[in-house]
Amino acid sequence: MVSSHFFSADSDQRSGTAPKSPGGSAIPVGIAPQTASPPWLLDTLFRNLSYDLEQVADIIDPILTAQNHCYRTDWYVQGIVADDRAFLSTNINADRAIQVTLCGTRWLLGQGRRCAVAMLQPGIADCHAALNFDSLQGFFLTDLGSDGGTWVNGRRLAPAQRHYLQDGDLIKLGSLRFEFLQQRCDQSVWHDA
């Protein structure tokens, strides 16, 4: 995961505090172990997009403005598709800085050090859930047998159940609620399941 304090969310539009516990105190949110300084955000985007300047230019604004598309929470995970590649951006960390993963088809969500999106929240397991990408049908979420469960739009997922995500879906892992956003900068069409 790559982080940029330079590109952190505008504090005038959203609260700058970390997610709250049920008692109201701020809870530190984990930063993935591969966190780096601002130049690495662009470096990772160039690597993810095969150094295609036009694609980087097309995708940088949706990454920088993703939080403006959150309607129910201040936190998000954004799935980004460019041609046949996919990666994630998120602001789920103590600094609310934008973080970007490398391209892949599966990202772990949880408290563990090997998770692409580290979430140090009550009720979140080390490897709580997996966010996956299928080039034909898009992003889907799977609970990995966590005690606290994985919820999408108020419905609990059964362990190992695939749930294909839509832009704006509300996800709950433990005490953390966040929105899933999607951004495509390709011309392919996903087929409904």
Side-chain angles (χ1 to χ4, degrees):
M1 180 78 62
V2 178
S3 173
S4 170
H5 296 285
F6 179 76
F7 295 126
S8 85
D10 183 357
S11 61
D12 291 338
Q13 290 194 348
R14 300 285 182 183
S15 162
T17 60
K20 304 283 184 189
S21 71
S25 61
I27 300 168
V29 179
I31 298 175
Q34 304 88 357
T35 302
S37 61
W40 297 111
L41 176 69
L42 288 176
D43 180 59
T44 302
L45 288 176
F46 277 112
R47 287 174 50 198
N48 283 346
L49 301 171
S50 301
Y51 297 91
D52 183 330
L53 184 57
E54 281 187 35
Q55 279 193 325
V56 171
D58 287 344
I59 201 63
I60 193 73
D61 186 57
I63 289 173
L64 296 178
T65 61
Q67 188 165 1
N68 298 341
H69 301 284
C70 292
Y71 298 105
R72 299 181 278 181
T73 72
D74 288 339
W75 307 101
Y76 68 86
V77 171
Q78 180 182 42
I80 300 166
V81 179
D83 297 325
D84 60 344
R85 297 176 305 266
F87 59 96
L88 306 176
S89 76
T90 185
N91 71 342
I92 300 175
N93 58 76
D95 297 326
R96 299 176 50 87
I98 296 170
Q99 297 179 325
V100 176
T101 67
L102 291 173
C103 286
T105 58
R106 186 171 198 246
W107 303 270
L108 294 176
L109 311 176
Q111 292 198 39
R113 294 188 53 78
R114 64 184 181 165
C115 292
V117 180
M119 303 171 169
L120 301 179
Q121 291 282 311
I124 296 180
D126 282 349
C127 291
H128 193 104
L131 185 57
N132 302 273
F133 177 70
D134 176 326
S135 62
L136 296 178
Q137 297 179 318
F139 291 94
F140 63 92
L141 187 65
T142 307
D143 181 79
L144 299 177
S146 64
D147 289 338
T150 300
W151 302 75
V152 179
N153 299 325
R155 294 183 57 207
R156 186 174 183 160
L157 302 182
Q161 172 190 355
R162 287 184 177 195
H163 180 88
Y164 284 89
L165 298 170
Q166 301 296 315
D167 189 56
D169 280 346
L170 183 63
I171 299 170
K172 182 175 177 275
L173 305 178
S175 64
L176 178 65
R177 291 173 14 140
F178 61 93
E179 290 180 61
F180 177 76
L181 306 173
Q182 289 190 74
Q183 180 64 42
R184 292 176 25 195
C185 62
D186 65 350
Q187 301 303 316
S188 67
V189 176
W190 294 342
H191 306 287
D192 291 332

